[in-house]
């Protein structure tokens, strides 16, 4: 148990065939509540920086991450929207401006009384937002993570080899698809695959012919997301880990997850006859990951948490 930054330094040089992990996404989960955006960037940067030493030449680091981060940013201008359909009040911006011209010193409450509407309607017509419904909160900033992760990896000495797009079922509860927004439904994540320079063993027999044709050689993987996050609030499906592990690591090879969480990566690695190393800073996660992985494992395993 411990920080990935610290525990990775304890691993032997060139001891890992594949590192597969999904870091905190900086989207407001409880386990990352204390991280600022700068803290988050430093964490991912530092963890990546430890990998070129521990990955075997020709081996891989695969990072599963949402390519779009969204978080409040006080420096962003407030987003303004004019919902032209289903307005609750017939009062228009022209109506409000006409009253303001007649009553130049009137405040919103006084103009609302004249117009027979709410104070929020007056502000929305004039400014595109209102004083309630969270409109005083900072606007949401959107940042693409892919370029950052690629830059940090290349700086460390790892090079982008490939990517897979994990197409999951839409996360309707988080998408606000019914709200006043043109933003897309959250329905995919990226697996960025990085290579440590060296001879890479290419073994076509790792997958069956059917597996190669259905997903091994395909850029988009359609895998249903975890439907109930009872163990952890950000858990990826075992099938995602299974595909990455089978494709990018040899049988009996060593698979690492420096953000092991509840042990999805390590449990799948054990089931697929791989050795495993899991690291997590949270004691409860370490205990759960160990129990889950040891229950799954049949061959001898390698443990570090």
């Amino acid at each position: 148990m411990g920080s990935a930054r610290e525990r990775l330094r304890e691993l032997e040089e060139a001891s890992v065939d594949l590192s597969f992990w999904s870091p905190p996404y900086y989207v407001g989960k409880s386990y990352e509540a204390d991280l600022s955006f700068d803290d988050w960037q430093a964490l991912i940067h530092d963890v990546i920086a430890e990998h070129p030493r521990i990955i075997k030449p020709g081996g891989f680091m695969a990072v599963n991450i949402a390519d779009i981060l969204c978080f409040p940013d006080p420096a962003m201008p407030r987003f303004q929207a004019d919902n032209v359909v289903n307005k609750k009040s017939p009062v228009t911006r022209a109506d409000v401006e006409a009253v303001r011209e007649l009553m130049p010193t009137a405040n919103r409450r006084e103009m609302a009384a004249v117009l027979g509407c709410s104070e929020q309607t007056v502000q929305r017509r004039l400014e595109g937002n209102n004083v309630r419904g969270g409109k005083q909160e900072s606007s949401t900033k959107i940042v693409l993570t892919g370029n950052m992760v690629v830059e940090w990896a290349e700086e460390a000495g790892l090079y982008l080899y490939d990517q897979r797009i994990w197409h999951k079922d839409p996360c309707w509860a988080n998408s606000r698809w019914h709200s006043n927004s043109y933003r897309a439904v959250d329905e995919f994540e990226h697996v960025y695959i990085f290579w440590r320079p060296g001879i890479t063993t290419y073994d076509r027999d790792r997958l069956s012919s059917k597996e190669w044709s259905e997903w091994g050689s395909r850029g988009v993987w359609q895998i249903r997301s975890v439907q109930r996050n009872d163990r952890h609030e950000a858990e990826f499906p075992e099938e995602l880990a299974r595909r990455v592990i089978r494709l990018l690591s040899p049988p009996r090879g060593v698979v690492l997850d420096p953000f092991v969480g509840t042990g999805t990566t390590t449990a799948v690695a054990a089931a697929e006859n791989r050795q495993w190393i899991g690291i997590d800073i949270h004691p409860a996660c370490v205990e759960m990951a160990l129990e889950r992985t040891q229950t799954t494992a049949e061959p001898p395993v390698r443990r570090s948490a």
Side-chain angles (χ1 to χ4, degrees), residues 16 32 45 225 248 284:
V16 173
E32 59 185 13
H45 172 278
S225 59
L248 300 176

Side-chain angles (χ1 to χ4, degrees), residues 159-164 191-195 216 218-219 247:
Y159 297 90
L160 186 63
Y161 176 83
D162 201 4
Q163 72 163 339
R164 294 295 190 275
V191 179
Y192 293 102
I193 301 169
F194 299 93
W195 168 75
R218 308 296 287 268
L247 184 67

Side-chain angles (χ1 to χ4, degrees), residues 68-140:
I68 294 180
L69 297 186
C70 304
F71 55 90
D73 183 359
M76 283 278 293
R78 289 237 178 90
F79 182 79
Q80 297 181 334
D82 180 18
N83 182 11
V84 299
V85 179
N86 297 326
K87 278 187 168 69
K88 293 181 180 180
S89 171
V91 173
T92 66
R93 179 186 178 92
D95 295 333
V96 177
E97 289 177 338
V99 171
R100 185 167 59 176
E101 185 174 347
L102 291 173
M103 304 170 59
T105 62
N107 58 32
R108 286 194 300 262
R109 179 170 49 80
E110 292 167 336
M111 287 191 288
V114 173
L115 291 164
C117 64
S118 69
E119 178 184 347
Q120 288 73 43
T121 296
V122 171
Q123 186 181 28
R124 184 179 289 279
R125 297 300 183 263
L126 290 175
E127 303 174 15
N129 57 26
N130 60 30
V131 296
R132 295 183 181 175
K135 296 302 180 180
Q136 295 296 342
E137 298 178 0
S138 299
S139 288
T140 299

Side-chain angles (χ1 to χ4, degrees), residues 18-52:
L18 166 67
S19 180
F20 173 53
W21 43 283
S22 188
Y25 283 11
Y26 194 66
V27 290
K29 300 293 186 181
S30 62
Y31 55 83
E32 59 185 13
D34 296 333
L35 289 176
S36 68
F37 186 50
D38 288 341
D39 293 336
W40 178 83
Q41 292 181 90
L43 172 63
I44 308 307
H45 172 278
D46 293 351
V47 168
I48 289 175
E50 293 296 326
H51 275 75

